[in-house]
Amino acid sequence: MGMNFTNPHFAEPQWLWLAVLGPAALFALQRYSAWARRRQLARLAHPQVLERLTASHSPTRRAAKEALLLLALGGLGLTLARPQWGQTSEAGQALGKDTVFLLDCSRSMLAADIAPNRLERAKLAILDYVQRVGRGRVGVVAFAGQAFLQCPLTYDYTAFGEALMSIDEKTIPIPGTDIGRALDEAFRAAEKGERQKLLVLVTDGEDLEKGGVKAAEKLAQQGVVAFTVGVGTPAGSEIQVLNEQGRLELLRDARGEVVRSRLDEPTLQAIAQATQGAYYPLGPLGEGLTRVRLAAENLKPALGAGPARKLGIDRFHFPLALVLMLLVAESLMGTRRRSRPLHQAGASLWFAAAALAALAGTGTQAAAAEWSGNAEPREIYNAGTQQLEQGKLREAEQLLESALARQAEALQPHALYNLGHVRFRQGLEELKKGPAAKPTRQRGTAIAESGQGAVQTAADALETKDLQRMVNAYLLGRGVRKELNAAIKAVRQATQAYGGALNRWQRASGDFKSACELNPKDAAARENAGIVDQNIARLVDSLRELQQMAGMLGNMKQELGDKMKQLKGQIPAENMPPGAAGEEEEEGDPSPKDLEGREEGPTKEGKEMKLSPEQASWLLEAFRLDKERRLPMGEGSQGQPRDRNRPTW
């Protein structure tokens, strides 16, 4: 038996706009993306270089991927529109009524003219109503000066009962009685569909806002039937409420008179008549809701089987399956050609060899020389930027300096900016070669205190002339002196590392400032220059503290050495500790012969180098900075911004 194609249509035709406008919008977005991609690539490298770099890219495959996405989006719109063809019959189902109870929980419902009070008697009567009907969905809206859906429509009568019994005079904190708002809230709670909608208003009828009748007339136009149940007696009763002390007292108005609540039957009768319903008093035993139940069962159309309907058969799974296949195909399709064109081999092989030599870090100087001799400035700049991204800072520095040497005016600000990043990161690497300044200072301070104690111990021993005390003081001094040597060595290593970082960061600041000079609109370069200057200021502070620590440790070592010489002169040779002979020049102390031929200033190879007059002057000025320091980063041979009319490397 074949498929029935009768009566083709869409169950949700409003989604067809997605099948038409969606692909059109996506196509426009794809065109814009292609334009932006070409523009960015044009800024990256020369067109001839781009042609070699993108030789493996297939425009046809990219176009095919984009077409698959367009078709998938169109198919998604068709799926959401729910295409249907063929027909099926559905027998009418037994439709129960949707009943929403509107329960007044204002303080007037605390009146005791019906035992135990109006609110409790109304809740018990509603529970009895639901248990006797036993079919259809029920919900409850609690209202006073405001209305709130306490329980949505449900078949779970247990949950309904729990929600109903939890209602009290504190459920709605806004005082008053607004029946009109309660009717609107109950109508919104009733779902729009083929089921009958029945509202049962249970209240004492004191509509303080006077909007109940108007709201009922509007609901009548929507086919809603409302029954009203009056709670209380026309004679009324006083209202008892709990005071702050937890005791019952009569409710009084602003003038101090006792409030008496009376049943307002005319208002409830008008509401019921407006919706073709009926009004019944609740009564002392809740018999009013029993009469509502009997009247509701006689409403037309009566509860029972509805007429049979002819429905279309959903076929949305066909376009949905097509969408899934298109998305899978798009994700599996690449954008590269299957093989490299042979006619590009000559130039591309040279380019690939030069790039691999630069990026792999093998033969760095030879590769840089080849770039400098043969490649375009933009190619050299791009290779240097790639080296920076890979963390190869020395190679990146050489290539970027080579790009600057080409005097390509458009590239100079960018090359200087990246060169500043290279040298700042090189400074960070220099800092890692030595110990941190703060722990080194803390260690030096602790050892200096130990040295001071050893000096004092030696002085006390010399004063008493006690042989054992002098021997002990000598042994203590020898141990402290070893610690002093280790601390001085750590301070030297930290000073060497911080000095190397200072040199790198000084050049980085100059690079960023030169980039600002060439391109005043480069806010990022200006901000980076300020950040580098701040780091230099902190580094100079650390260097000054390390210098002070080195001087203090040196003085302490000298003072301790003098005391140990005095102790050695007072202790007889036969009582000297082992290893004391020749101890004045310990390992780690440079002898005069070792210092011959050396100049001042540490280098990273461990040798010593001579500071230039400019560097020595700069360091002396840096050590004199106060809280209002201004670093001379724009002065001298290292920090002066480059002139556009001379080389910028």
Side-chain angles (χ1 to χ4, degrees):
M1 182 177 178
M3 185 178 297
N4 184 2
F5 290 96
T6 59
N7 191 26
H9 65 283
F10 291 97
E12 303 287 343
Q14 64 271 18
W15 286 102
L16 290 175
W17 66 267
L18 181 60
V20 179
L21 299 181
L26 180 59
F27 179 78
L29 184 60
Q30 289 173 347
R31 294 305 92 205
Y32 174 78
S33 177
W35 171 81
R37 187 164 53 249
R38 289 193 299 270
R39 183 182 178 186
Q40 292 172 355
L41 287 174
R43 297 175 60 184
L44 177 65
H46 191 272
Q48 294 180 354
V49 179
L50 284 179
E51 184 179 357
R52 294 193 294 269
L53 289 174
T54 60
S56 63
H57 175 72
S58 174
T60 303
R61 285 176 170 267
R62 178 176 288 277
K65 287 174 64 69
E66 293 176 349
L68 291 176
L69 288 177
L70 293 175
L71 293 175
L73 185 56
L76 182 60
L78 293 177
T79 301
L80 294 175
R82 291 179 56 197
Q84 295 180 347
W85 58 81
Q87 289 184 344
T88 182
S89 298
E90 181 184 63
Q93 299 177 351
L95 302 177
K97 293 183 177 67
D98 285 343
T99 305
V100 180
F101 294 92
L102 293 78
L103 179 58
D104 186 357
C105 60
S106 61
R107 289 194 294 181
S108 62
M109 292 289 287
L110 297 178
D113 48 359
I114 296 180
N117 58 43
R118 296 177 181 178
L119 182 58
E120 293 299 323
R121 174 52 58 191
K123 292 193 291 186
L124 294 174
I126 292 173
L127 278 180
D128 182 67
Y129 177 99
V130 173
Q131 292 172 358
R132 289 180 180 274
V133 172
R135 60 180 179 270
R137 296 183 300 178
V138 292
V140 61
V141 171
F143 72 95
Q146 182 60 273
F148 176 74
L149 180 61
Q150 186 76 5
C151 178
L153 288 171
T154 180
Y155 288 109
D156 189 347
Y157 298 147
T158 301
F160 170 83
E162 293 176 354
L164 175 68
M165 298 308 294
S166 66
I167 298 175
D168 56 21
E169 72 278 5
K170 299 178 182 178
T171 301
I172 304 297
I174 301 176
T177 304
D178 193 343
I179 296 178
R181 190 183 295 271
L183 291 171
D184 292 338
E185 182 67 24
F187 178 71
R188 286 193 295 269
E191 295 183 1
K192 310 302 181 290
E194 298 180 359
R195 293 176 179 272
Q196 284 184 284
K197 304 173 189 62
L198 182 65
L199 304 184
V200 180
L201 175 62
V202 183
T203 178
D204 54 18
E206 291 184 332
D207 188 6
L208 301 180
E209 303 297 331
K210 307 299 181 182
V213 178
K214 293 182 179 180
E217 293 174 352
K218 293 180 181 179
L219 295 182
Q221 299 175 1
Q222 303 292 331
V224 177
V225 178
F227 288 89
T228 57
V229 178
V231 185
T233 60
S237 174
E238 294 83 4
I239 303 173
Q240 290 185 337
V241 294
L242 291 175
N243 57 18
E244 296 179 355
Q245 290 77 27
R247 299 178 181 177
L248 289 174
E249 64 178 11
L250 295 177
L251 181 64
R252 300 179 181 273
D253 57 16
R255 296 177 296 180
E257 298 180 0
V258 176
V259 176
R260 189 177 187 86
S261 175
R262 296 178 174 82
L263 174 62
D264 186 3
E265 292 185 324
T267 299
L268 299 180
Q269 291 172 351
I271 292 173
Q273 291 175 0
T275 60
Q276 304 299 317
Y279 163 74
Y280 302 102
L282 181 64
L285 300 178
E287 57 270 18
L289 276 174
T290 303
R291 298 174 64 183
V292 170
R293 175 171 55 82
L294 297 175
E297 292 177 353
N298 296 326
L299 288 177
K300 295 182 180 181
L303 187 67
R309 298 183 299 167
K310 290 185 177 181
L311 302 176
I313 301 176
D314 276 316
R315 309 291 184 180
F316 65 88
H317 47 277
F318 291 108
L320 180 59
L322 178 62
V323 168
L324 294 177
M325 288 189 294
L326 291 173
L327 292 177
V328 171
E330 189 275 337
S331 65
L332 295 178
M333 181 179 295
T335 59
R336 293 188 175 274
R337 302 180 190 274
R338 292 185 179 274
S339 60
R340 185 78 175 267
L342 296 178
H343 66 276
Q344 297 179 349
S348 299
L349 285 177
W350 171 86
F351 181 81
L356 287 175
L359 297 180
T362 60
T364 305
Q365 295 180 352
E370 184 176 355
W371 279 103
S372 301
N374 300 321
E376 295 290 334
R378 187 178 294 272
E379 297 176 4
I380 303 174
Y381 165 76
N382 291 338
T385 303
Q386 289 176 348
Q387 296 286 51
L388 171 59
E389 292 175 352
Q390 296 175 6
K392 299 178 180 179
L393 302 180
R394 182 178 300 179
E395 292 84 348
E397 183 180 23
Q398 292 180 355
L399 289 169
L400 291 173
E401 287 180 343
S402 179
L404 284 172
R406 293 301 188 90
Q407 292 294 306
E409 187 171 325
L411 285 179
Q412 284 187 346
H414 304 290
L416 285 168
Y417 182 85
N418 286 355
L419 195 58
H421 279 285
V422 169
R423 287 167 174 164
F424 184 77
R425 289 172 61 177
Q426 286 176 336
L428 294 177
E429 294 297 328
E430 289 290 336
L431 288 179
K432 296 178 182 178
K433 296 180 181 179
K438 184 176 180 180
T440 302
R441 294 195 305 269
Q442 293 175 348
R443 177 186 178 187
T445 302
I447 294 176
E449 293 177 356
S450 299
Q452 187 64 39
V455 170
Q456 184 63 42
T457 301
D460 294 342
L462 289 170
E463 183 178 354
T464 60
K465 303 295 184 178
D466 184 90
L467 178 61
Q468 187 60 42
R469 290 186 64 179
M470 288 191 291
V471 171
N472 293 338
Y474 186 87
L475 292 174
L476 176 63
R478 186 164 63 179
V480 172
R481 184 169 181 175
K482 291 182 179 180
E483 294 180 358
L484 282 171
N485 287 334
I488 292 173
K489 182 178 180 181
V491 171
R492 288 175 180 172
Q493 291 175 347
T495 304
Q496 179 179 345
Y498 277 55
L502 180 63
N503 180 42
R504 290 293 182 178
W505 285 358
Q506 179 184 359
R507 300 182 67 185
S509 177
D511 293 329
F512 285 126
K513 291 176 180 178
S514 296
C516 292
E517 183 74 16
L518 295 176
N519 183 14
K521 296 182 180 180
D522 193 348
R526 186 179 301 106
E527 181 181 359
N528 287 348
I531 293 174
V532 174
D533 286 350
Q534 292 175 5
N535 282 274
I536 290 175
R538 289 193 290 267
L539 198 62
V540 169
D541 289 340
S542 298
L543 279 170
R544 180 173 56 188
E545 293 173 354
L546 288 172
Q547 184 187 38
Q548 294 173 353
M549 179 59 64
M552 180 180 66
L553 293 176
N555 294 334
M556 180 56 62
K557 181 179 177 180
Q558 181 65 37
E559 185 178 356
L560 182 60
D562 294 341
K563 290 297 182 182
M564 292 180 67
K565 288 180 181 179
Q566 296 178 22
L567 289 171
K568 190 173 181 180
Q570 296 293 329
I571 300 175
E574 61 273 12
N575 297 109
M576 283 297 297
E583 198 172 33
E584 288 78 5
E585 302 229 352
E586 297 180 358
E587 182 180 358
D589 291 343
S591 63
K593 294 182 180 180
D594 295 331
L595 296 177
E596 293 180 0
R598 291 193 183 181
E599 302 292 348
E600 294 181 348
T603 64
K604 30 182 207 181
E605 287 79 8
K607 300 179 181 180
E608 300 291 317
M609 61 179 289
K610 185 175 181 179
L611 290 175
S612 65
E614 292 82 5
Q615 291 174 324
S617 174
W618 190 91
L619 284 174
L620 289 175
E621 290 295 329
F623 288 137
R624 296 193 187 101
L625 294 177
D626 57 6
K627 293 168 60 178
E628 303 294 332
R629 64 173 62 85
R630 294 182 59 84
L631 293 172
M633 299 308 303
E635 303 174 0
S637 60
Q638 298 292 333
Q640 180 67 30
R642 277 79 166 179
D643 190 355
R644 298 174 65 93
N645 298 322
R646 63 183 179 87
T648 55
W649 64 92

